[in-house]
Amino acid sequence: MSLRIAPASNHATQVSTSKGAPSVRSIPDPIREGLHSVSADVNGRHPLEVRLKNWDETQQALKMESLMRVYGAHEPIRRGMEMKISGSDWRPIQLGGPSNFHLDILNGKDATIEWEDIYKGNDNTEELPGFHAEMESKLKMNW
């Protein structure tokens, strides 16, 4: 493992057009090639977009690698188990919905306010499900 601070740049710099229709080699043939197309590789992809997508995972891998080098293998394993346990927090919507505050503490994001903390995306819901109906569906008791 390496101590990488920024994610690796793995964006497409060249597009190969060798696979294509039998009559015209320069035109991609998605039927023979599968659903993968050249336009998905090139259009709308900025080199920074891939790095920003992988930023949190790279920072987490750096943190876990540093913890392993300082404290041994038990520390990243323990932290990973704690993150998995705290990430499965569930509360009914009537009580405020799921809260990942414990996971934020473990990730070191408890002192930051991000866009998702304020705008959760469920402001347009007019009628929330009832407490008992949600509990029955969670516990698979809705026969």
Side-chain angles (χ1 to χ4, degrees), residues 3 60-76 78-79:
L3 297 175
Q60 189 67 25
L62 173 68
K63 184 177 180 181
M64 291 298 179
E65 180 67 24
S66 300
L67 286 172
M68 189 176 82
R69 289 182 181 198
V70 172
Y71 298 110
H74 77 281
E75 186 64 23
R78 183 183 65 84
R79 293 255 177 131

Side-chain angles (χ1 to χ4, degrees), residues 2-141:
S2 66
L3 297 175
R4 179 180 294 278
I5 294 174
S9 63
N10 48 355
H11 65 281
T13 56
Q14 293 181 349
V15 177
S16 95
T17 57
S18 61
K19 293 182 180 178
S23 58
V24 182
R25 294 281 179 201
S26 62
I27 298 175
D29 189 9
I31 295 174
R32 288 184 177 82
E33 220 177 300
L35 297 176
H36 182 71
S37 67
V38 176
S39 64
D41 286 340
V42 178
N43 295 338
R45 307 284 177 162
H46 191 272
L48 187 59
E49 181 182 358
V50 177
R51 286 186 169 200
L52 288 177
K53 244 184 230 179
N54 299 329
W55 179 260
D56 290 333
E57 291 86 13
T58 305
Q59 294 298 314
Q60 189 67 25
L62 173 68
K63 184 177 180 181
M64 291 298 179
E65 180 67 24
S66 300
L67 286 172
M68 189 176 82
R69 289 182 181 198
V70 172
Y71 298 110
H74 77 281
E75 186 64 23
I77 293 170
R78 183 183 65 84
R79 293 255 177 131
M81 288 182 355
E82 286 178 355
M83 286 179 174
K84 188 173 183 180
I85 290 169
S86 65
S88 63
D89 185 24
W90 182 82
R91 284 192 314 182
I93 294 176
Q94 295 286 335
L95 299 177
S99 170
N100 288 331
F101 186 64
H102 302 302
L103 190 61
D104 288 344
I105 291 173
L106 291 172
N107 286 332
K109 295 182 179 180
D110 56 333
T112 61
I113 297 176
E114 295 178 358
W115 182 265
E116 293 83 17
D117 295 333
I118 298 169
Y119 300 106
K120 296 185 179 186
N122 58 0
D123 297 334
N124 296 333
T125 56
E126 296 174 6
E127 188 174 324
L128 297 174
F131 176 79
H132 295 288
E134 193 172 358
M135 288 297 290
E136 287 173 0
S137 66
K138 167 74 175 154
L139 298 172
K140 297 180 178 135
M141 294 175 57

